[in-house]
Amino acid sequence: MFNYPRFLVSIKNSIINSSLFQKKASTQTLGLARIFSWVSFIIIIIFSIFLSVFIATNTRSSLINSQESYALLMAENINKQIFRRFTLPVAYASGRVTLSEPDQYRLLDEVVNSLMHGLRIEAIRIYDANEKVAYSTDKDELQDSELATIGVKNVFKYKAHSFEIISTMSFLRALFTPNLPEETFTLRTVYPLTIDYDLAPFKSLDSKEQPILGALEIMQDVTDLYKIAIRSQWTILFGFTLSILILFILLQIIARLAERIISERIKQNKQLENELHQNEKLASMGRMVSSIAHEIRNPLGIIKSSSEFLLNRNSMDNTGKQLVGAIYDESKRLSNTVSDFLDYAKPRKAGEELVNLSEIVQKVWTFLQSSFLEKNIEAFFYFSDKLVIKGDPDLMYRAIYNVFVNAEQAMSKDGSITVYGKEEYDYVSLRFVDSGEGFKEDFTKCLDPFYTTKDTGTGLGLPIVHSIIKAHNGELKLYNDEKGGATVEFILPCIKENKQPTNTDKKQNNDNGLVMQGV
């Protein structure tokens, strides 16, 4: 028996340490979850930007490569058509090609315009060996030597074709331009003009020694291709951003749920810690009460009965009667104190009897009515004739009695106490409201044993009530009403066999359940 409190202390300390460790670990875990969600969000956003740029760049490169292949085939075809339809006939007819002559220039212009028909070609230029513009769809550019690019030089030097993208704005700026104007991006293709070796007279010639007749430059608008690449990049970026936002929201929801679960677990651990603390007090009190019951109660009973016997004798004078009366009153008060200790310390079992709370309230009021009337305290009852639960009628009488006594002590005179009772589908509520000053301290402190704001009393009234209600698998609520008075409410489980009350039953309870007593 004497080792039992030490055992509880060891359990309590382990629970507290575990609770603190779990709280610290849960806080760290929650912080890591939040950091992980934000870091994941930032990393995936950065990754999505780089990935969208990479995919868009590859898409743009693929589109440009396909356009370059198409431009190369087109340049080869234009080269053959110019040689067959202009160079060869003019060479046979005039002996040489001289574009400075109007007739030859007009013939070449007709051939080029026919080839450009239906193709998205912005301009065509032909450079001579001196790198001057010998032909252009824009006649103002004729004989201009400043238009020759490195690609033109490479044609005459290395006999190689080349491609170049000409842009009026950077690609980054184009990303944020809603409607790109035409010719924002232009593909310049430079191709050597040579003899058509597919013709029979020229098949026997060595292709390595083929002469360069000129440099063909083709300008094509590829703005639409860049629009496709930009649209693809924004689609990818939007898709990744939307997916990471959804993932981030899910992570935040999970973090909130984890926080709620951890908070509930901390609350449960705190409640368990408080219960163990209360059990420790109970165990210590039980050890103390066992000695009090043997050492105090027996001689106290002798003192009480002896003083009561002396009071009933008529041979004593007034002074003696006052002294013996004081002994009797103090022994009675001390006996009640010992009873409070025993009531709080001893374990309780609710039992399975049918208990009518309405009858118990009436019994308590009948017993205490004279005391209340002396202080001019009214009592009002609002409940039906039957508020039935399963439990122990003696324990419930003790609980209701303590509430009434506390209410009486809270009101010196000219007050009122109102009792409300109702039965719902799964619980019974019994609420006591007094017109006193209400609870001035933290409500949870009122349930601590030996805590009291009165000059007299043991501070075990509400803890005993709480213990009784808890033994009945119920809940005790303490709060102040709108007018400032103290409110004590019992929430007790209803009898399972009872059916849910109908609207008629509820109306009958509300209409016929009013009883008023006391003035």
Side-chain angles (χ1 to χ4, degrees):
M1 175 178 178
F2 293 97
N3 294 329
Y4 183 65
R6 296 195 185 98
F7 176 70
L8 282 178
V9 170
S10 63
I11 295 178
K12 175 191 172 184
N13 292 334
S14 63
I15 290 295
I16 293 175
N17 295 332
S18 176
S19 175
L20 293 175
F21 176 77
Q22 290 179 0
K23 183 177 181 180
K24 183 177 179 180
S26 61
T27 304
Q28 293 177 351
T29 303
L30 185 60
L32 290 176
R34 289 178 178 175
I35 294 174
F36 173 75
S37 62
W38 279 104
V39 170
S40 299
F41 177 74
I42 295 173
I43 290 177
I44 298 181
I45 282 292
I46 296 174
F47 175 75
S48 64
I49 292 174
F50 279 104
L51 185 60
S52 63
V53 171
F54 175 76
I55 296 176
T57 302
N58 287 341
T59 303
R60 186 172 70 252
S61 299
S62 299
L63 293 173
I64 295 301
N65 289 336
S66 63
Q67 185 64 31
E68 289 176 353
S69 299
Y70 173 73
L72 185 61
L73 292 175
M74 186 170 54
E76 292 177 355
N77 180 59
I78 292 175
N79 175 47
K80 291 181 179 181
Q81 293 297 326
I82 289 176
F83 182 79
R84 293 181 181 185
R85 295 171 58 183
F86 171 75
T87 304
L88 192 59
V90 170
Y92 275 110
S94 303
R96 65 174 185 171
V97 177
T98 307
L99 293 178
S100 59
E101 295 182 5
D103 292 337
Q104 292 187 17
Y105 188 91
R106 184 171 57 256
L107 178 61
L108 177 60
D109 190 53
E110 291 177 356
V111 172
V112 171
N113 286 331
S114 65
L115 294 174
M116 290 176 60
H117 183 71
L119 301 176
R120 298 196 63 178
I121 299 177
E122 303 300 326
I124 290 181
R125 299 187 188 99
I126 297 177
Y127 295 87
D128 58 17
N130 296 322
E131 299 180 359
K132 293 182 179 181
V133 179
Y135 171 80
S136 175
T137 52
D138 184 2
K139 294 183 179 181
D140 295 336
E141 298 175 351
L142 294 176
Q143 301 302 316
D144 192 343
S145 60
E146 296 180 356
L147 296 177
T149 60
I150 298 178
V152 174
K153 301 179 185 297
N154 291 335
V155 164
F156 292 104
K157 188 175 181 180
Y158 302 108
K159 300 180 182 181
H161 64 272
S162 62
F163 302 100
E164 182 183 1
I165 296 294
I166 304 172
S167 59
T168 59
M169 67 174 66
S170 63
F171 182 74
L172 181 62
R173 180 182 173 188
L175 282 173
F176 300 96
T177 303
N179 295 316
L180 289 177
E182 294 184 356
E183 300 183 16
T184 302
F185 296 94
T186 304
L187 175 63
R188 173 188 286 164
T189 304
V190 181
Y191 189 83
L193 286 175
T194 59
I195 297 173
D196 185 4
Y197 290 96
D198 293 336
L199 295 177
F202 305 103
K203 288 184 177 181
S204 59
L205 296 178
D206 187 2
S207 58
K208 295 182 180 180
E209 299 178 357
Q210 59 181 342
I212 300 299
L213 304 179
L216 175 65
E217 184 181 81
I218 303 174
M219 307 292 290
Q220 292 177 274
D221 185 11
V222 292
T223 305
D224 290 341
L225 299 180
Y226 276 79
K227 288 181 179 179
I228 295 173
I230 292 172
R231 187 164 55 249
S232 174
Q233 183 164 348
W234 279 115
T235 302
I236 295 169
L237 185 60
F238 177 76
F240 272 99
T241 304
L242 181 61
S243 61
I244 188 54
L245 281 176
I246 294 174
L247 179 61
F248 178 72
I249 292 172
L250 291 177
L251 288 174
Q252 289 295 319
I253 292 174
I254 293 173
R256 295 286 178 85
L257 291 176
E259 182 178 2
R260 187 180 303 172
I261 293 172
I262 291 171
S263 299
E264 290 178 356
R265 289 183 178 177
I266 293 174
K267 184 178 179 181
Q268 291 175 358
N269 289 338
K270 184 66 176 179
Q271 184 178 0
L272 180 59
E273 179 184 343
N274 293 334
E275 290 179 357
L276 287 174
H277 186 64
Q278 291 294 104
N279 290 335
E280 179 188 354
K281 291 181 179 179
L282 279 174
S284 301
M285 190 182 301
R287 183 175 59 182
M288 179 181 63
V289 166
S290 63
S291 61
I292 290 176
H294 291 86
E295 301 297 333
I296 297 180
R297 203 168 193 182
N298 290 334
L300 187 62
I302 296 174
I303 295 172
K304 181 180 177 182
S305 60
S306 298
S307 59
E308 185 177 7
F309 174 76
L310 292 175
L311 282 175
N312 293 329
R313 296 184 62 180
N314 297 324
S315 60
M316 296 181 63
D317 55 6
N318 292 333
T319 303
K321 286 185 177 182
Q322 290 178 358
L323 292 175
V324 174
I327 294 173
Y328 175 78
D329 293 338
E330 291 301 318
S331 62
K332 182 179 179 182
R333 185 182 65 82
L334 187 56
S335 178
N336 292 333
T337 301
V338 174
S339 297
D340 287 341
F341 274 93
L342 290 173
D343 287 339
Y344 181 73
K346 68 181 180 181
R348 290 176 173 82
K349 293 183 180 180
E352 294 294 330
E353 298 183 41
L354 294 180
V355 181
N356 189 343
L357 298 179
S358 302
E359 293 180 356
I360 294 179
V361 171
Q362 292 296 336
K363 289 180 181 179
V364 173
W365 170 246
T366 301
F367 181 75
L368 297 174
Q369 183 176 8
S370 60
S371 177
F372 274 68
L373 292 179
E374 289 178 0
K375 296 182 179 181
N376 195 25
I377 298 176
E378 296 179 305
F380 302 91
F381 303 92
Y382 295 87
F383 48 76
S384 61
D385 294 337
K386 291 185 178 181
L387 290 175
V388 182
I389 65 169
K390 283 186 177 181
D392 189 322
D394 294 334
L395 292 179
M396 291 307 304
Y397 183 94
R398 178 69 171 169
I400 296 172
Y401 177 87
N402 282 353
V403 174
F404 268 96
V405 171
N406 283 345
E408 180 186 3
Q409 294 174 354
M411 300 175 289
S412 59
K413 61 178 180 178
D414 299 331
S416 65
I417 179 171
T418 306
V419 184
Y420 300 91
K422 65 177 180 178
E423 181 178 352
E424 297 293 342
Y425 176 64
D426 55 352
Y427 71 91
V428 172
S429 172
L430 192 62
R431 182 160 49 99
F432 304 84
V433 182
D434 63 48
S435 59
E437 297 180 357
F439 296 105
K440 297 180 181 179
E441 302 290 340
D442 186 9
F443 299 142
T444 57
K445 291 183 179 179
C446 297
L447 299 180
D448 292 338
F450 312 114
Y451 174 81
T452 179
T453 58
K454 305 168 188 176
D455 296 334
T456 60
T458 59
L460 292 174
L462 286 177
I464 290 173
V465 174
H466 182 239
S467 178
I468 294 173
I469 299 302
K470 188 176 179 181
H472 285 76
N473 297 320
E475 180 182 0
L476 178 65
K477 292 185 178 180
L478 305 178
Y479 52 93
N480 293 328
D481 68 345
E482 298 177 353
K483 298 180 180 180
T487 300
V488 179
E489 184 176 6
F490 300 168
I491 304 295
L492 297 165
C494 187
I495 298 177
K496 299 299 183 180
E497 290 79 7
N498 287 357
K499 295 182 179 179
Q500 184 174 6
T502 62
N503 293 332
T504 305
D505 296 334
K506 291 181 179 179
K507 185 175 185 303
Q508 183 178 0
N509 290 343
N510 292 333
D511 294 342
N512 301 328
L514 173 59
V515 179
M516 300 183 63
Q517 296 184 6
V519 172

